[in-house]
């Protein structure tokens, strides 16, 4: 389901904003001065579809209205005594309404489950529905604890924190949201390697992505190896079966055979060029050989098997090639290549020496992290909320950003709402833009 309109009244007790996405396709750009609430609007949208209603309670606004493409409208209003009212208007059925206070939490069950799955070194239980993160001292309730830790402890995802009416749950689950904030260079990682002092640590995102990429390369190679093993095991029987049916199989001519071998060789070279395969010796046929039925059948099976073995690399190849092309288009005096065993290799085009990922500038790291995340980590979501992509980017990179994003979307379809105060990001994409004004 798609959101086509997003309205908020009295944001910060001041601003009324109406945003119309109905004429936008994959990308919408919210443009406005600092302080008008662009980031807060993204944060609230993320909170609604992440069951994080505490963020709504903590943010100053009067009402939110979301209109969906199926003509349903969800109203969220602030009520007295720290409460929220949810109301669904639907042309095909009666209006539905519920207060947050009516969505009763099973506090005792929540407490048991949190204690069971989250180590006591991480959180401390203070009272009935209050918890403290030991490392930071932050005080949270059960809902916030579950939302914070559910990715690290998947068992918490099944925890029935709130007893939502089905109509509200259906709306929340209809849109899978991810919010990319401005704090992209560091990420919180739970270090399980320390037996006595397991804890959350802030790590460089680019280092974590480098490890992730090596794991993806290894997984792709393993998948290709397993496929090759299964194909090779059945080769003798398939060969015999095809020999027995050779009168039904059309014999290839030498010209067609050589052409098909060249296509296969070109595919291998593409994979070698982006670093997904190691270099190998080109296949060279003996001169003046006679192409009889048996040889033709054997070659056809070889070609079919070889293409099937390389299929495991198809998706990875497209993503890696686009990522490397986008990065190398923008980086000055540096070139990114891929090593099948080491992952990313960055080299100075001047000194020819390797450069570590942490030696990249802030802008280079921001671009690297964003493009990597959108190409490799962003899957099974329907809406991406991206806050200030222009951070640390040179104005020429800002101008190219939407064009690069469109290339990524062609390969990895997604809907994106961007919040920015940089007109250079918009460039010539004004039809994608909604401007926030104080007069709104």
């Amino acid at each position: 389901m798609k959101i086509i309109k997003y309205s908020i009244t009295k944001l910060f007790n001041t601003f009324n904003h109406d945003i119309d996405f109905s004429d936008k396709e994959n990308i919408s750009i919210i443009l406005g001065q600092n302080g008008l609430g662009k980031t807060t609007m993204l944060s609230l949208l993320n909170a609604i579809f992440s069951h994080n209603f505490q963020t709504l309670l903590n943010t100053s606004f009067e009402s939110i209205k979301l209109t969906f493409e199926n003509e349903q409208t969800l109203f969220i209003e602030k009520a007295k005594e720290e409460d929220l009212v949810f109301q669904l208007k639907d042309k095909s059925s009666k209006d539905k309404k519920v207060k947050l206070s009516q969505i009763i939490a099973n506090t005792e069950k929540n407490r048991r489950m949190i204690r069971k799955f989250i180590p006591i070194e991480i959180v401390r239980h203070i009272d009935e529905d209050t918890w403290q993160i030991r490392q930071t001292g932050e005080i949270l309730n059960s809902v916030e604890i579950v939302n914070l830790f559910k990715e690290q402890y998947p068992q918490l995802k099944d925890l029935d924190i709130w007893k939502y009416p089905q109509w509200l749950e259906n709306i929340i689950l209809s849109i899978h949201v991810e919010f990319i904030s401005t704090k992209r260079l560091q990420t919180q990682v739970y270090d399980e390697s320390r037996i006595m002092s397991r804890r959350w640590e802030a790590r460089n995102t680019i280092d974590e992505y480098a490890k992730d990429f090596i794991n993806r390369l290894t997984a792709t190679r393993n998948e290709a190896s397993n496929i090759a093993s299964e194909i090779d095991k059945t080769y003798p029987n398939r060969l015999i079966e095809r020999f027995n049916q050779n009168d039904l199989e059309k014999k290839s001519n030498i010209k067609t055979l050589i052409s098909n071998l060249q296509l296969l060789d070109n595919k291998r070279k593409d994979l070698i060029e982006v670093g997904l395969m190691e270099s190998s010796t080109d296949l060279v046929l003996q001169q003046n050989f006679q192409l009889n039925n048996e040889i033709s059948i054997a070659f056809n099976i070889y070609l079919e098997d070889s293409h099937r073995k390389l299929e495991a690399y198809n998706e990875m190849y497209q993503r890696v090639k686009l990522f490397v092309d986008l990065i190398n288009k923008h980086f000055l005096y540096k070139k990114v290549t891929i090593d099948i065993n080491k992952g990313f290799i960055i080299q100075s085009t001047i000194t020819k020496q390797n450069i570590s990922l942490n030696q990249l500038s802030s802008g280079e790291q921001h671009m690297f992290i964003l493009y990597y995340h959108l190409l490799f980590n962003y899957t099974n979501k329907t809406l991406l909320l991206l806050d200030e992509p222009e951070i640390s980017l040179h104005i020429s990179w800002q101008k190219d950003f939407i064009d690069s994003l469109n290339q990524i979307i062609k390969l990895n379809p997604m809907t994106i709402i961007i919040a920015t105060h940089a007109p250079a990001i918009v460039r010539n994409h004004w039809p994608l833009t909604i401007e926030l004004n104080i007069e709104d």
Side-chain angles (χ1 to χ4, degrees):
M1 190 155 64
K2 184 178 179 181
I3 300 169
I4 59 172
K5 290 184 180 179
Y6 176 18
S7 302
I8 189 166
T9 62
K10 297 300 180 184
L11 179 61
F12 311 138
N13 295 316
T14 305
F15 303 117
N16 301 320
H17 295 310
D18 292 295
I19 299 177
D20 189 342
F21 302 117
S22 59
D23 60 343
K24 312 294 186 291
E25 292 187 8
N26 300 112
I27 300 174
S28 300
I29 306 170
I30 302 174
L31 178 68
Q33 299 176 22
N34 290 2
L36 294 182
K38 301 181 301 298
T39 298
T40 301
M41 291 186 72
L42 295 190
S43 178
L44 290 172
L45 205 55
N46 180 57
I48 293 168
F49 294 99
S50 302
H51 298 88
N52 186 8
F53 299 132
Q54 192 63 43
T55 294
L56 300 181
L57 290 171
N58 294 341
T59 305
S60 176
F61 71 92
E62 187 176 272
S63 67
I64 291 173
K65 176 183 175 183
L66 297 177
T67 304
F68 302 95
E69 60 184 345
N70 63 357
E71 298 186 331
Q72 288 183 327
T73 302
L74 177 67
F75 294 88
I76 304 173
E77 296 180 346
K78 279 285 184 74
K80 295 179 180 179
E81 299 177 355
E82 292 295 305
D83 206 351
L84 297 169
V85 179
F86 299 86
Q87 182 176 10
L88 178 67
K89 289 186 178 291
D90 188 342
K91 290 183 178 180
S92 62
S93 62
K94 291 178 63 176
D95 292 355
K96 302 174 180 67
K97 182 185 288 189
V98 67
K99 288 185 178 181
L100 183 63
S101 56
Q102 295 173 311
I103 305 173
I104 302 170
N106 187 339
T107 307
E108 179 57 34
K109 180 183 176 183
N110 297 343
R111 188 161 58 236
R112 290 198 309 269
M113 297 294 281
I114 291 172
R115 281 175 169 169
K116 180 178 179 179
F117 294 115
I118 304 179
I120 59 173
E121 299 93 342
I122 303 299
V123 296
R124 180 170 72 92
H125 185 228
I126 296 176
D127 58 32
E128 185 175 355
D129 195 38
T130 308
W131 303 79
Q132 182 182 47
I133 298 179
R134 291 183 183 274
Q135 185 179 4
T136 64
E138 188 176 6
I139 303 296
L140 302 173
N141 61 31
S142 297
V143 179
E144 293 170 318
I145 287 288
V146 170
N147 284 329
L148 182 62
F149 290 100
K150 64 186 177 182
E151 296 301 327
Q152 285 71 36
Y153 304 99
Q155 301 93 331
L156 295 177
K157 292 181 179 181
D158 298 326
L159 188 56
D160 187 17
I161 288 288
W162 302 103
K163 295 181 179 178
Y164 299 102
Q166 193 60 51
W167 62 266
L168 182 57
E169 184 71 355
N170 289 342
I171 287 178
I172 292 172
L173 296 178
S174 68
I175 298 180
H176 302 283
V177 172
E178 180 176 356
F179 181 37
I180 300 181
S181 73
T182 55
K183 299 174 182 178
R184 296 187 277 269
L185 298 190
Q186 288 203 320
T187 187
Q188 293 292 322
V189 177
Y190 183 57
D191 186 1
E192 296 188 353
S193 64
R194 306 182 181 200
I195 298 176
M196 300 302 295
S197 60
R198 295 172 179 166
R199 62 178 184 176
W200 285 88
E201 290 185 350
R203 295 183 183 172
N204 292 330
T205 306
I206 201 164
D207 290 333
E208 295 304 304
Y209 282 2
K211 295 175 191 174
D212 177 75
F213 185 64
I214 290 175
N215 291 337
R216 290 175 186 273
L217 289 176
T218 302
T220 301
R221 290 187 73 182
N222 289 343
E223 181 186 357
S225 177
N226 291 336
I227 291 172
S229 178
E230 291 299 314
I231 289 173
D232 291 343
K233 280 194 299 187
T234 62
Y235 175 76
N237 286 333
R238 287 186 290 115
L239 183 63
I240 292 170
E241 184 179 344
R242 295 275 278 272
F243 276 161
N244 291 336
Q245 299 174 349
N246 66 10
D247 57 324
L248 303 176
E249 184 159 337
K250 185 178 180 181
K251 185 177 80 172
S252 301
N253 58 49
I254 292 180
K255 185 177 179 180
T256 300
L257 176 63
I258 292 174
S259 175
N260 289 336
L261 286 171
Q262 187 63 53
L263 290 174
L264 177 63
D265 192 47
N266 290 341
K267 189 169 184 177
R268 285 201 182 104
K269 285 178 178 177
D270 287 340
L271 295 173
I272 292 168
E273 184 179 357
V274 299
L276 292 181
M277 287 184 69
E278 296 172 339
S279 295
S280 58
T281 305
D282 293 344
L283 175 64
V284 179
L285 292 177
Q286 294 181 7
Q287 298 293 319
N288 302 321
F289 73 94
Q290 297 296 316
L291 186 64
N292 57 33
N293 273 2
E294 288 74 16
I295 293 177
S296 175
I297 290 171
F299 263 118
N300 285 336
I301 295 176
Y302 166 77
L303 288 166
E304 292 164 8
D305 287 359
S306 296
H307 281 290
R308 285 175 59 199
K309 291 175 183 179
L310 296 182
E311 281 177 3
Y313 293 99
N314 285 352
E315 184 177 349
M316 190 67 167
Y317 167 77
Q318 294 179 63
R319 294 174 190 262
V320 169
K321 187 174 189 311
L322 180 55
F323 176 78
V324 170
D325 287 348
L326 289 175
I327 294 298
N328 286 334
K329 174 184 175 183
H330 294 96
F331 279 18
L332 289 176
Y333 313 117
K334 301 179 184 75
K335 183 177 181 181
V336 177
T337 56
I338 306 300
D339 182 278
I340 192 65
N341 298 307
K342 298 178 182 178
F344 297 117
I345 303 293
I346 301 179
Q347 189 179 73
S348 166
T349 57
I350 299 174
T351 66
K352 306 303 180 184
Q353 294 179 337
N354 287 350
I355 299 169
S356 71
L357 291 171
N358 285 314
Q359 288 180 296
L360 295 177
S361 71
S362 171
E364 289 169 332
Q365 288 193 43
H366 271 283
M367 175 173 282
F368 193 105
I369 288 166
L370 269 179
Y371 289 167
Y372 182 88
H373 185 79
L374 296 180
L375 279 167
F376 295 97
N377 287 345
Y378 188 81
T379 56
N380 300 321
K381 300 285 196 306
T382 54
L383 179 61
L384 177 73
L385 309 174
L386 178 55
D387 192 22
E388 297 186 17
E390 69 270 14
I391 289 180
S392 296
L393 301 189
H394 185 272
I395 192 167
S396 63
W397 292 10
Q398 294 180 30
K399 290 178 178 179
D400 286 343
F401 183 74
I402 299 299
D403 290 335
S404 298
L405 213 53
N406 277 319
Q407 288 183 264
I408 293 172
I409 289 172
K410 286 180 182 178
L411 186 58
N412 191 19
M414 64 186 82
T415 299
I416 304 177
I417 300 175
I418 297 170
T420 182
H421 47 65
I425 286 285
V426 178
R427 198 186 181 188
N428 58 347
H429 299 285
W430 287 102
L432 306 178
T433 306
I434 305 108
E435 291 190 73
L436 296 189
N437 298 298
I438 297 175
E439 290 76 14
D440 290 344

